Amino acid sequence: METHEIKIHTEFIKLQDLLKFANAVETGGDAKLIIQEGRVEVNGEPCTMRGKKMRPGDRACIDHELELVVV
């Protein structure tokens, strides 16, 4: 599994914005689609909330292939 650390300078970042910021998806529509399809896990649990607040220490995993760690 490929892992990337994503550094943020705010209190949190929304899940859909995290996926776009990390270049895991090209558009917000793509992010919405894969989140709604249940292809994204947050901290090991399936997540279908695209507005989920991701804070430092949180992990998002897409299709068990790409892991994004918020730092």
Side-chain angles (χ1 to χ4, degrees):
M1 179 185 308
E2 188 176 345
T3 302
H4 295 279
E5 288 188 351
I6 307 300
K7 189 171 190 169
I8 62 172
H9 300 282
T10 57
E11 181 183 346
F12 65 88
I13 185 171
K14 291 182 181 179
L15 178 58
Q16 68 178 4
D17 296 333
L18 173 68
L19 299 182
K20 288 189 301 185
F21 184 70
N23 293 318
V25 295
E26 290 186 21
T27 66
D30 291 341
K32 178 181 176 180
L33 183 67
I34 68 167
I35 293 168
Q36 287 180 339
E37 289 176 344
R39 294 170 48 193
V40 178
E41 291 182 357
V42 173
N43 297 326
E45 299 291 327
C47 181
T48 56
M49 299 180 298
R50 59 190 174 136
K52 171 80 174 156
K53 293 179 180 178
M54 303 291 292
R55 292 182 166 81
D58 286 340
R59 298 172 176 267
C61 183
I62 304 167
D63 293 332
H64 302 286
E65 295 176 7
L66 175 63
E67 183 177 50
L68 304 172
V69 181
V70 181
V71 293

